[in-house]
Amino acid sequence: MFWGSRKTIDMNYFPDEVLEHVFDFITSHKDRNSVSLVCKSWYKIEKYSRQRVFLGNCYSISPERLIARFPGLKSLTLKGKPHFADFNLVPDDWGGFLYPWIKAMAKSRIGLEELRLKRMVVSDESLELLSESFPNFKSLVLVSCEGFTTDGLAAIAANCRFLRELDLQENEVEDHRGYWLSCFPESCTSLVSLNFACLKGEINLASLERLVARSPNLKSLRLNRAVPFDTLQRLLIRAPQLVDLGTGSYIHDPSSEAYNKLKAAIQNCNSIRSLSGFLEVAPCCMPAIYPICENLTFLNLSYAAGLQSNELTRLIHHCRKLQRLWILDCIGDKGLGVVASTCKELQELRVFPSDPFDAGNAAVTEEGLVLVSAGCPKLNSLLYFCQQMTNAALITVAKNCTNFIRFRLCILDPIKPDPVTNQPLDEGFGAIVRSCKGLKRLSLSGLLTDQVFYYIGMYAKKLEMLSIAFAGNSDKGMLYVLNGCKKLRKLEIRDCPFGDTALLEDMGKYETMRSLWMSTCEVTLGACKVLAKKMPSLNVEIINESEQTEFNLDDRQKVDKIDGPLSFTAPSGQETWCFYKVMIPVSKVGIAKPVVIMRSEKYTQMVTVDGHDFWFIGFVNYEKASV
Amino acid sequence: MEGSVAYDNDLNLKATELRLGLPGTHEEQQAVSSSTVRNNKRPNGESDARNETAPPPKAQIVGWPPIRSYRKNNSQPKKTESEGVGIYIKVSMDGAPYLRKIDLKVYSGYPELLQAVENMFKFTIGEYSEREGYKGSDYAPTYEDKDGDWMLVGDVPWEMFITSCKRLRIMKGSEARGLGCGV
């Protein structure tokens, strides 16, 4: 290109509209961020043409700042609570509220069309305001959220005239019975995706049938437990074009007419590629779905507790094209053998425990995993809850499958060693990281020493996320990881003997990461203060969950939890420190509310640079980056 | 097994534990969930305060196993009774030439059962009310219970019904009306 030889770049050569058109082809967040760094002109064009924004942490930027930065925002993805909130390790009142975002976007008349939320607190009030403020709103996806009732859904149904997608995944929703579905006006015919499987209450079945009947574009439908077999049959007749189906209750008499009708209806649904649900199920009715099994690419039976191993395997026999399988461990090792011999296209396998609290009965062991690894060469993503694991098995798996991107193993009994050799599982996981050069996400379990972290630091060069529990012997373990894993972005640790030395040795490392979580480790308050003082761009949150009524300010005291970087807007009543997050002594037993004072000028500058997550611990050359 | 020893360590798990069982049952749980590996598989390795303590009892650990709360709260526990065996009972209808058999396990409640029976014999049962039995038709569904008595279908909870029902009989005509009234 000719401008390589010039000293100054004259971007006025191309009119803005041309550049904008070119940028339209750049969809990855990372790339768009890079584009905005090139020069002032590109920054401006990119800024006004940016429609999709992803925030890995909703506290990394204020809503007002986001809106000022990207006034053309149409699609927003927000993540709230840290991952370990899924396991009750984060206090309930930690935060992650949606309302401030809706309020700010409504006030600035943002033309919001899509909202995707994960682990956020969503109130009915925010849903109502959302439904009234954005006339072009099309898509709402809520994953693992809480705080709302079906009244909020009613507002969405009633007011979002062009709604295409309402997708509720695993949310805790207070159910005020099924009238919300009737709130979709007769004029609403635009639905493409409707998923209410996580709702617990009754549904107005007649309204549902009418809604499906007038939604010719409906491709994805996931029902809840309250939708019975008969209704399912009638819905399938109205929507043979479905691509993704989640059944509700699937119980009937196989000799009945209704069953025969369903069989016929399903045979017409030859576009279905994804099947889930069976929240209540009569095994004898499963043969009705065999005809569509051959086309399935995704099968999720992880909530189908009513199916036993033999029924599951009978079903799996028909699913030759399966790419993703989510299943309960009652399938057993033998059942996994059937998966291995049938599903040659399998890429992702998730095996959940049917009885999480009784580890002695977990029905799968290392044998099932070895079988799948041998039979499914395309396997690249694993979540496996099992009773036990051996080094030999992991080594074999590593040999069989070198393509793992995600490898998450959970041995239900923590710190359980290899039952055959009584050794830690260091060698097994070591083999995995050595063999799977593309590994991005790893979760460890079982008995593990510092050695496994040595291997991880040495070999897991592409690793981005690591989850550790009850592992390691000393600070060395954590240091191996921090020093070796250059691409590490998220590190979450619980109940490990890692302490101040590990935390403070290479603080600059945190500037390249998104987040660090440490709970019930050996980190002291003093070390947290040091970290926060030395790295002012980091936001360090300390959560004190002890039963002390007065917060003990002794530096030697071990903190229960530290995570960062996060930021909060500061309510009044802060303590004397002004560099970092501050604890307010609790008057009630239990949770201390963390507070931070943000240094807004620096914050603003950091934000203009990194569009990706708006979420980074520090930015080394922000002077250079801000244009 | 571990008893209170596990709670005297630095982890202080007890302070943050979320109880999963009923209060006071944790000793019981430990006895029940006695996996053999617990006994001699102490963690080896360098000396560390943690290593000297027994592994925390699994039922007590907050946030373990790492399963999303929603999934934990919404997965039905495994049923212990044998799933494969159905509860087949004879169904007779007054005036019908032969009897039928149905599997009570297939139905989740009275509405499905009655619907199925209606379909099977091509008739309609009336509306059930506690006071007046089945109004609106000439038929009344009845069943023989374990004591040999003929009872009106629908009075007792479903779970109780399927365990006590030995056979079903659809009564017709004056006999049916007689059963439904004044009980």
Side-chain angles (χ1 to χ4, degrees):
Chain A
M1 308 300 291
F2 75 89
W3 62 69
S5 58
R6 293 183 171 206
K7 278 207 182 127
T8 58
I9 299 169
D10 184 358
M11 295 311 302
N12 291 330
Y13 183 80
F14 289 128
D16 286 359
E17 299 82 50
V18 172
L19 280 175
E20 194 179 313
H21 184 66
V22 171
F23 294 167
D24 272 349
F25 292 97
I26 301 172
T27 48
S28 127
H29 290 292
K30 279 201 177 102
D31 290 343
R32 289 205 69 120
N33 297 340
S34 306
V35 160
S36 66
L37 290 180
V38 168
C39 64
K40 275 194 170 123
S41 168
W42 281 34
Y43 169 85
K44 192 169 138 224
I45 296 169
E46 201 282 324
K47 163 181 172 145
Y48 286 104
S49 65
R50 174 91 86 131
Q51 293 181 350
R52 319 185 74 85
V53 173
F54 168 87
L55 297 191
N57 174 9
C58 63
Y59 284 112
S60 56
I61 178 178
S62 71
E64 291 75 19
R65 184 63 208 130
L66 176 71
I67 292 165
R69 175 77 177 83
F70 296 120
L73 182 64
K74 286 206 174 125
S75 165
L76 180 61
T77 303
L78 287 173
K79 289 190 177 181
K81 301 187 188 184
H83 176 230
F84 274 6
D86 279 348
F87 320 132
N88 297 327
L89 290 176
V90 175
D92 280 339
D93 54 355
W94 181 90
F97 300 106
L98 174 64
Y99 189 78
W101 294 90
I102 304 295
K103 183 155 162 230
M105 287 191 286
K107 187 165 163 206
S108 302
R109 299 186 203 283
I110 291 288
L112 193 69
E113 294 184 13
E114 288 178 8
L115 188 62
R116 281 166 170 62
L117 305 175
K118 189 167 186 181
R119 283 190 288 268
M120 301 246 341
V121 178
V122 177
S123 61
D124 281 346
E125 207 189 343
S126 55
L127 290 176
E128 278 150 22
L129 185 58
L130 165 69
S131 72
E132 289 156 8
S133 310
F134 310 114
N136 279 335
F137 193 75
K138 295 195 173 69
S139 166
L140 181 64
V141 180
L142 303 178
V143 180
S144 293
C145 296
E146 57 178 334
F148 60 105
T149 76
T150 47
D151 294 346
L153 298 177
I156 298 286
N159 302 332
C160 299
R161 291 169 45 209
F162 303 113
L163 194 69
R164 287 202 203 139
E165 182 174 24
L166 180 59
D167 185 359
L168 309 171
Q169 299 177 29
E170 300 190 329
N171 304 290
E172 294 289 354
V173 185
E174 197 180 301
D175 207 309
H176 293 167
R177 296 293 167 260
Y179 96 98
W180 68 273
L181 205 60
S182 319
C183 294
F184 281 105
E186 291 302 311
S187 55
C188 173
T189 58
S190 48
L191 273 182
V192 174
S193 167
L194 179 63
N195 171 8
F196 58 92
C198 62
L199 295 186
K200 300 199 175 78
E202 297 303 309
I203 282 292
N204 186 326
L205 298 174
S207 291
L208 175 62
E209 288 186 44
R210 282 198 303 274
L211 179 62
V212 169
R214 66 176 185 273
S215 302
N217 299 318
L218 194 67
K219 291 281 189 295
S220 169
L221 180 63
R222 297 192 186 187
L223 310 168
N224 76 345
R225 203 181 283 260
V227 179
F229 194 92
D230 294 34
T231 308
L232 171 64
Q233 175 256 312
R234 285 194 289 275
L235 292 172
L236 290 177
I237 291 190
R238 299 207 189 273
Q241 77 281 3
L242 284 178
V243 170
D244 169 27
L245 173 67
T247 70
S249 170
Y250 193 78
I251 296 184
H252 219 280
D253 176 358
S255 61
S256 70
E257 203 184 320
Y259 181 81
N260 290 330
K261 279 191 192 165
L262 184 109
K263 257 172 80 174
I266 285 213
Q267 270 169 341
N268 250 353
C269 299
N270 32 33
S271 301
I272 294 183
R273 297 287 174 271
S274 163
L275 187 61
S276 61
F278 302 96
L279 308 173
E280 285 173 357
V281 55
C284 49
C285 294
M286 292 309 281
I289 63 160
Y290 290 169
I292 53 167
C293 286
E294 7 176 290
N295 293 326
L296 287 182
T297 56
F298 178 34
L299 179 61
N300 179 358
L301 296 175
S302 62
Y303 284 101
L307 295 174
Q308 299 303 303
S309 176
N310 52 348
E311 286 127 14
L312 290 171
T313 47
R314 236 177 282 151
L315 182 65
I316 301 247
H317 269 302
H318 296 264
C319 304
R320 299 195 169 276
K321 292 201 189 137
L322 219 50
Q323 294 173 13
R324 298 167 63 207
L325 176 63
W326 293 20
I327 202 137
L328 292 173
D329 66 358
C330 50
I331 191 176
D333 288 329
K334 285 215 179 69
L336 288 177
V338 174
V339 172
S341 53
T342 312
C343 309
K344 294 306 183 185
E345 302 298 313
L346 196 68
Q347 295 175 27
E348 176 180 326
L349 175 67
R350 298 198 188 191
V351 180
F352 295 96
S354 9
D355 198 352
F357 305 115
D358 191 1
N361 278 348
V364 297
T365 68
E366 75 277 10
E367 289 178 19
L369 182 59
V370 169
L371 287 171
V372 174
S373 74
C376 306
K378 297 189 182 176
L379 196 63
N380 62 37
S381 175
L382 180 75
L383 173 60
Y384 196 75
F385 286 84
C386 60
Q387 172 157 333
Q388 62 183 46
M389 186 53 58
T390 64
N391 282 311
L394 284 174
I395 291 169
T396 306
V397 169
K399 258 200 224 103
N400 291 339
C401 291
T402 56
N403 295 325
F404 276 116
I405 299 173
R406 272 171 243 110
F407 192 89
R408 299 159 67 188
L409 186 70
C410 177
I411 303 164
L412 286 167
D413 190 349
I415 67 171
K416 182 165 178 162
D418 180 330
V420 172
T421 63
N422 210 20
Q423 293 299 303
L425 292 174
D426 303 333
E427 297 306 312
F429 280 106
I432 294 286
V433 294
R434 217 179 351 250
S435 156
C436 304
K437 309 225 185 301
L439 193 67
K440 285 193 181 167
R441 182 169 179 183
L442 178 63
S443 300
L444 306 171
S445 61
L447 182 64
L448 296 163
T449 72
D450 286 345
Q451 184 66 19
V452 72
F453 299 113
Y454 172 80
Y455 290 138
I456 292 172
M458 172 85 75
Y459 297 112
K461 290 309 181 188
K462 296 257 172 77
L463 194 67
E464 294 180 10
M465 181 169 176
L466 179 62
S467 308
I468 311 172
F470 303 102
N473 310 114
S474 72
D475 286 336
K476 277 199 283 183
M478 184 165 161
L479 287 171
Y480 288 140
V481 172
L482 291 176
N483 293 334
C485 299
K486 302 296 181 200
K487 297 240 165 154
L488 193 66
R489 295 176 54 238
K490 296 191 268 191
L491 180 58
E492 43 187 31
I493 305 172
R494 62 162 296 179
D495 293 274
C496 296
F498 305 143
D500 297 347
T501 312
L503 181 71
L504 298 178
E505 166 133 334
D506 179 14
M507 292 182 271
K509 167 78 179 177
Y510 302 132
E511 291 187 337
T512 65
M513 287 171 62
R514 186 202 277 194
S515 64
L516 168 69
W517 169 281
M518 295 178 75
S519 60
T520 322
C521 296
E522 306 283 320
V523 171
T524 66
L525 181 59
C528 295
K529 280 158 93 168
V530 168
L531 176 63
K533 186 167 177 190
K534 293 221 164 125
M535 305 288 298
S537 53
L538 271 193
N539 288 303
V540 176
E541 177 186 11
I542 306 162
I543 302 172
N544 182 22
E545 285 186 310
S546 71
E547 286 175 9
Q548 301 162 327
T549 47
E550 209 179 278
F551 181 46
N552 181 358
L553 302 183
D554 185 344
D555 281 1
R556 287 162 304 172
Q557 179 193 356
K558 291 198 188 137
V559 295
D560 293 316
K561 293 171 182 174
I562 153 186
D563 68 326
L566 299 167
S567 63
F568 290 80
T569 49
S572 59
Q574 56 260 23
E575 280 277 359
T576 54
W577 308 309
C578 52
F579 304 117
Y580 61 104
K581 282 193 180 181
V582 163
M583 297 279 285
I584 296 178
V586 290
S587 52
K588 64 173 183 181
V589 166
I591 318 294
K593 285 202 195 326
V595 164
V596 74
I597 301 163
M598 293 200 309
R599 295 157 64 178
S600 54
E601 317 78 32
K602 198 162 183 183
Y603 194 79
T604 301
Q605 285 187 299
M606 290 195 289
V607 159
T608 56
V609 167
D610 181 61
H612 177 44
D613 297 342
F614 284 82
W615 169 222
F616 53 107
I617 300 182
F619 195 87
V620 178
N621 292 316
Y622 64 84
E623 292 89 4
K624 187 165 152 194
S626 66
V627 290
Chain B
M1 263 183 244
E2 293 80 5
S4 56
V5 173
Y7 299 122
D8 292 338
N9 58 24
D10 288 346
L11 290 178
N12 200 18
L13 287 171
K14 188 158 195 186
T16 56
E17 80 184 19
L18 290 178
R19 284 279 172 132
L20 301 164
L22 295 170
T25 59
H26 78 273
E27 316 295 334
E28 217 177 13
Q29 270 177 340
Q30 287 177 45
V32 165
S33 58
S34 55
S35 56
T36 52
V37 270
R38 184 63 33 86
N39 295 324
N40 52 2
K41 304 285 197 282
R42 288 296 166 91
N44 54 21
E46 291 84 305
S47 64
D48 181 341
R50 252 186 81 252
N51 289 339
E52 281 150 21
T53 65
K58 52 185 174 283
Q60 311 295 329
I61 304 173
V62 175
W64 192 268
I67 301 171
R68 246 182 217 177
S69 323
Y70 175 87
R71 186 176 284 281
K72 263 191 190 156
N73 297 337
N74 290 282
S75 300
Q76 291 165 329
K78 251 199 307 214
K79 295 191 185 128
T80 45
E81 77 262 19
S82 59
E83 287 281 75
V85 180
I87 304 177
Y88 280 90
I89 55 153
K90 289 182 190 170
V91 186
S92 64
M93 165 120 151
D94 292 356
Y98 48 82
L99 280 62
R100 301 294 304 269
K101 258 213 169 151
I102 56 170
D103 177 3
L104 286 180
K105 275 199 146 183
V106 150
Y107 308 102
S108 53
Y110 287 116
E112 288 93 321
L113 169 67
L114 294 174
Q115 177 86 49
V117 171
E118 281 179 334
N119 288 341
M120 206 177 250
F121 290 101
K122 308 279 185 282
F123 73 107
T124 318
I125 294 174
E127 287 272 353
Y128 171 76
S129 76
E130 218 176 68
R131 211 170 154 271
E132 291 177 309
Y134 289 87
K135 278 189 73 174
S137 84
D138 270 352
Y139 301 96
T142 66
Y143 69 101
E144 186 183 12
D145 73 357
K146 283 187 177 140
D147 299 329
D149 297 319
W150 285 95
M151 317 287 295
L152 186 68
V153 170
D155 287 334
V156 301
W158 175 254
E159 305 301 318
M160 194 188 292
F161 167 73
I162 59 177
T163 53
S164 56
C165 171
K166 278 169 55 187
R167 55 186 296 169
L168 213 57
R169 175 184 163 200
I170 312 297
M171 282 186 187
K172 188 179 168 181
S174 53
E175 218 182 342
R177 283 188 290 274
L179 187 65
C181 299
V183 174

